[in-house]
Amino acid sequence: MSQPQTTHKSPSYRLDPESAWANAWKVSAAVAGAGIVAAAFCALQDHERFAFSYLFAYISFLTIALGGVFFGLIQYLSNAAWSVSIRRTTEFLHWPMALFALLFVPILFSMDDLYPWASHVAPASEHNTAGEGDPTTVHGAGHDEVRGGPLSAAKHEPILGFLPEAEHVAHARVLAEKIPYLNRTFFYIRAALYFLVWILVSRKLFTNSVRQDASGDPALTVSSHRVAPVAMILFALTTTFAAFDWLMSLEPSWISTIFGVNFFAQCIVSMFAVTVLMGLSLRSRGHFHNAVNVEHFHDLGKLMLGFLIFWAYVNFSQYMLIWYASLPEETTYYHLRWDEGGSGWKAWTMAVVFGHFVIPFFVLLSRNAKRALTPLGVGAAIILFFHFVMIYWLVMPYYGHGLSPSLVDIACLAAVGGTYFSFVFYRLSKDSIVPVRDPRLPRSLHFVNA
């Protein structure tokens, strides 16, 4: 009598509808709802404070999504196989890119509170402090009006208040020369271009990947390979200029040619931290089965540590070059985060140095730490927490009232982060969490670190 044949069914990589992860989007949506109500109330009470808190929250989560786009592009550019099983997690992170175009609207309505250059250019005859026809009242000593609009002295005078009058005039001339670039119309056009590139690239990568789950067509992988080179160039340019427009122009007289690279490094490090934490949680609940294992987390840990070192390198390079040159128009960036507002920002700066780099560096340095998974998760959690600390350090000094954390910061984080992750988790609950018919998946399943 013949024995019945047993069949080995491949595991399902879709979440059980009753699992905690499948319903995580509902929790995020509830957090978003509470955050939106609280943030709206705060906006009515103090719109300027809300504007800076909202920009901080927006950049904090946008960087994570942009990091997801980069990860997908670099995997296709390098024809990587090891990452296929974990790649879908990063695709979920960048899928809601169009959402960020909608979430950008409050920033557009807050430009006068955020950006000193946002007001229209006043006729030279109205503000002539440096010679006939020279509109150089910007940051001039004793002036509270800039380009026909109000400029909060409390917010902006501390930035350049230690400079002599001649330096104020020099700064004003620099700003006057930037008017063709720093104006509302061109700002809107550039922002629209950034979102167009990000949305198209994100949607292309995600759609090809998900469609392949159903069709198994290898041409979809080839299609993503073909768009990756051009998409990466566009991604680099748009991300760099977005950092200039939305963060560096908070103090338009300050410049740094490496600032875009700093922003890029922040995107990648934060993305790896979120990917590791999500991946560890999904794996611990058995959702990945054997598709994502210690070997994959080992590589994620190496990349996270590598980009953390890169982040430290470019930030130290910026500081060292500015310190060495000691030019007043450049040192304002660090004066504002060290000398202004008492000891608060000085302590915050040291927290960034130690919390965002020194501590996680030593936590993740060992090979065993990246393979033991618990230290890897601890390192990722530290990096993610101090990611928010770092973005706060980039944005909030320009508010001009010293270090003053407020509930509006928490409300904006809940509003933006809850909305973003409700979309991420909703899609997570609807699609396979592993690209099940990617032609390179078998190689990823059997990946072993050297």
PDB file of all heavy atoms in Angstrom, residues 73 208 354:
ATOM      1  N   LEU A  73      16.219  52.189  -4.386  1.00  0.00           N
ATOM      2  CA  LEU A  73      17.004  52.528  -5.570  1.00  0.00           C
ATOM      3  C   LEU A  73      18.384  51.887  -5.532  1.00  0.00           C
ATOM      4  O   LEU A  73      18.855  51.350  -6.546  1.00  0.00           O
ATOM      5  CB  LEU A  73      17.145  54.048  -5.679  1.00  0.00           C
ATOM      6  CG  LEU A  73      15.890  54.830  -6.078  1.00  0.00           C
ATOM      7  CD1 LEU A  73      16.144  56.324  -6.010  1.00  0.00           C
ATOM      8  CD2 LEU A  73      15.428  54.435  -7.486  1.00  0.00           C
ATOM      9  N   ASN A 208       5.742  48.217  -9.158  1.00  0.00           N
ATOM     10  CA  ASN A 208       6.411  47.091  -9.815  1.00  0.00           C
ATOM     11  C   ASN A 208       6.582  45.918  -8.863  1.00  0.00           C
ATOM     12  O   ASN A 208       6.371  44.756  -9.226  1.00  0.00           O
ATOM     13  CB  ASN A 208       7.779  47.523 -10.340  1.00  0.00           C
ATOM     14  CG  ASN A 208       7.696  48.292 -11.639  1.00  0.00           C
ATOM     15  OD1 ASN A 208       6.623  48.407 -12.238  1.00  0.00           O
ATOM     16  ND2 ASN A 208       8.814  48.823 -12.089  1.00  0.00           N
ATOM     17  N   PHE A 354      26.512  62.775  21.704  1.00  0.00           N
ATOM     18  CA  PHE A 354      26.671  61.508  22.412  1.00  0.00           C
ATOM     19  C   PHE A 354      25.521  60.540  22.121  1.00  0.00           C
ATOM     20  O   PHE A 354      25.748  59.341  21.951  1.00  0.00           O
ATOM     21  CB  PHE A 354      26.800  61.760  23.919  1.00  0.00           C
ATOM     22  CG  PHE A 354      28.140  62.285  24.314  1.00  0.00           C
ATOM     23  CD1 PHE A 354      28.369  63.646  24.412  1.00  0.00           C
ATOM     24  CD2 PHE A 354      29.193  61.415  24.571  1.00  0.00           C
ATOM     25  CE1 PHE A 354      29.614  64.142  24.768  1.00  0.00           C
ATOM     26  CE2 PHE A 354      30.444  61.896  24.925  1.00  0.00           C
ATOM     27  CZ  PHE A 354      30.655  63.262  25.017  1.00  0.00           C
TER      28      PHE A 354
END
